[in-house]
Amino acid sequence: MQSTLRRAGGFAVVGTLALAAPVLKAATFAPFVAIALLAAFVVTDGPLFEVFARPGDHQDGRLNGLAGFALAAAGLAILVVAVDMPVSLFVAAVLVLSYGNLGKQCVAAVSDDPFLGTSGFVVGGFLGGVLGQVGVATATMLPTAYPLFVFLASAGAIVAALFREMLFERDDPLVMLSTGLLLWSFDALSGAIGTVEIAAALALTVAFGLVSYVLKAASVSGMLSGVLLSLLVTVFGGFGWFAVLMSFFAIGALSTKFRYDEKLDRGVAEDNDGARGTRNVFGNAAVALASVIGFAASAHTAVDGMLFQYAFAGSMAAALSDTLSSEIGGLYDNPRLITTLERVDPGTDGGVTWQGELAGLVGSAIVAAIAAFLLSGVTGLLGGAVVLLGGLAGMTVDSFLGATVEGARIGNEAVNFSATLVGAAISTGAAFVLF
């Protein structure tokens, strides 16, 4: 057995101790603290050391990785007692990471494909998360809410896989703590989830991930980011929200691939063969994610959820409008700087063409039409026009920032975020006044 697979199995065994939480209750942290102490001061060599040792542990003569893992689990266990974090979420977070790492190493033993390795992590983490929640519900004789368990395990596995993709193996404690806290937030925001609803949501998000991989429209981390967004948007918002989000991802990806070789020759093509990374995904969709979370939270407050629908649609209209403006406009000569109207080279930040502006208008109109038909709060032609306005405003702000501050002061992702924020603000403000 490979050392990495053996080590992942050992960590999974340690993580499984979390299932004792319903019995140990306030003392749940104790086994993990004991393991951390053993790893740091007692087990310094021998067969057990070799099972858990990561490369750097041999130099230090102690199991730093295992100690950090156990202390992170102990920290989450303390939250269960100190601030009433649900026991099931503590167990799910520990098992998602434990069995996610095991699943990834099982795949790595037969394939070095990064997508397959990440898929192994997600599947292993998902199974661990579901079984952990079911185990706690059984031990405490609470109802087994399978649709909710499936959603939380799916979200937790994707979140943990995304963090693992962005961080190092030694950062597992940070991954575990972050996953646990996010699962707690997701649980608080989620309402009643039906079996058909979660099955459809998972089918759509898995299909989106596979298509992104096959078409090479996103890197592995970018794919995970998009899948996580899709799942949260579908569960917290609904299938209409998913359709709006997909209008950006699908049309934006196709426009990036459109005449890519020609864009490459002109020096205006996206890097990495047009594959979008995590920063690009969240630069364009962070405002949308905040909007859907706000919409879910509005059920517990006096804030009108309609406003979050306009914020979501306006941000997506701005994102697609800007993407089409850049991808289509970059194929044409004689762009003009938006601030002075002087001619500039193709690909110059802030340079616009009438063809690109027209493409941006079409992109914003597509999102507006989908929102008007499928989002309950976006009402009729006037509602669609409000979304269209937000999209065009965001596209214009993106060009203006590109001409004035992009590059020297802020990067492209920050500019994209600003544009989508303006799109959301304009659409929300207009909706608040008109409706």
Side-chain angles (χ1 to χ4, degrees):
M1 182 185 293
Q2 296 181 7
S3 61
T4 52
L5 179 56
R6 184 172 61 247
R7 182 169 64 244
F11 273 76
V13 171
V14 172
T16 304
L17 291 174
L19 287 171
V23 176
L24 296 176
K25 297 182 181 179
T28 297
F29 71 93
F32 293 106
V33 171
I35 289 173
L37 292 173
L38 289 171
F41 303 110
V42 179
V43 183
T44 57
D45 56 20
L48 191 59
F49 182 90
E50 294 302 323
V51 169
F52 290 98
R54 291 174 176 169
D57 293 344
H58 289 92
Q59 295 177 345
D60 295 336
R62 58 176 176 268
L63 297 171
N64 293 317
L66 179 60
F69 178 92
L71 286 176
L76 278 180
I78 291 173
L79 291 180
V80 173
V81 178
V83 291
D84 293 327
M85 180 182 184
V87 175
S88 60
L89 300 184
F90 155 71
V91 175
V94 175
L95 296 190
V96 159
L97 180 60
S98 304
Y99 285 89
N101 283 332
L102 180 59
K104 183 173 183 176
Q105 293 306 323
C106 286
V107 172
V110 296
S111 172
D112 59 358
D113 188 308
F115 175 81
L116 294 179
T118 299
S119 299
F121 184 102
V122 172
V123 171
F126 168 76
L127 293 175
V130 170
L131 293 176
Q133 293 175 90
V134 171
V136 171
T138 303
T140 56
M141 293 182 289
L142 293 174
T144 49
Y146 288 109
L148 177 62
F149 292 170
V150 167
F151 163 62
L152 292 174
S154 303
I158 297 169
V159 165
L162 179 58
F163 282 131
R164 285 291 283 109
E165 190 69 24
M166 298 166 61
L167 301 172
F168 299 100
E169 187 179 17
R170 64 174 180 267
D171 296 317
D172 272 355
L174 177 60
V175 175
M176 185 193 298
L177 291 169
S178 300
T179 301
L181 293 175
L182 285 173
L183 281 180
W184 195 3
S185 300
F186 296 158
D187 181 53
L189 290 172
S190 60
I193 301 176
T195 303
V196 174
E197 178 186 359
I198 190 60
L202 286 177
L204 289 172
T205 52
V206 168
F208 168 66
L210 289 174
V211 170
S212 297
Y213 171 70
V214 171
L215 297 180
K216 297 181 179 178
S219 64
V220 172
S221 60
M223 179 270 294
L224 286 171
S225 303
V227 167
L228 177 62
L229 279 167
S230 301
L231 179 63
L232 297 180
V233 162
T234 304
V235 172
F236 291 153
F239 295 107
W241 294 63
F242 175 82
V244 172
L245 183 69
M246 283 302 103
S247 69
F248 163 67
F249 280 128
I251 298 174
L254 291 174
S255 70
T256 301
K257 297 291 185 181
F258 179 65
R259 292 164 63 178
Y260 184 82
D261 290 340
E262 184 177 343
K263 294 175 189 174
L264 200 60
D265 292 337
R266 294 171 64 88
V268 297
E270 289 284 338
D271 296 332
N272 302 318
D273 293 327
R276 305 283 179 168
T278 297
R279 294 178 62 183
N280 185 277
V281 170
F282 281 110
N284 282 291
V287 175
L289 176 60
S291 299
V292 75
I293 289 175
F295 177 78
S298 69
H300 309 285
T301 67
V303 179
D304 189 348
M306 175 199 72
L307 297 177
F308 292 107
Q309 295 192 41
Y310 278 100
F312 176 80
S315 70
M316 286 290 90
L320 183 57
S321 182
D322 171 58
T323 299
L324 291 186
S325 175
S326 299
E327 296 295 341
I328 302 302
L331 292 168
Y332 294 91
D333 295 323
N334 302 319
R336 294 180 180 273
L337 200 65
I338 192 171
T339 51
T340 63
L341 298 183
E342 64 179 295
R343 292 187 185 277
V344 292
D345 294 329
T348 300
D349 292 333
V352 299
T353 62
W354 70 264
Q355 296 94 338
E357 295 297 290
L358 179 60
L361 172 62
V362 171
S364 188
I366 289 172
V367 174
I370 295 173
F373 277 105
L374 298 180
L375 295 186
S376 59
V378 179
T379 52
L381 289 176
L382 184 57
V386 166
V387 175
L388 176 66
L389 176 64
L392 294 178
M395 177 185 68
T396 303
V397 166
D398 187 282
S399 298
F400 179 80
L401 292 177
T404 55
V405 297
E406 185 174 355
R409 300 180 185 176
I410 60 176
N412 179 253
E413 289 78 13
V415 170
N416 290 339
F417 172 79
S418 300
T420 55
L421 183 61
V422 168
I426 294 295
S427 293
T428 304
F432 181 79
V433 172
L434 294 173
F435 303 112

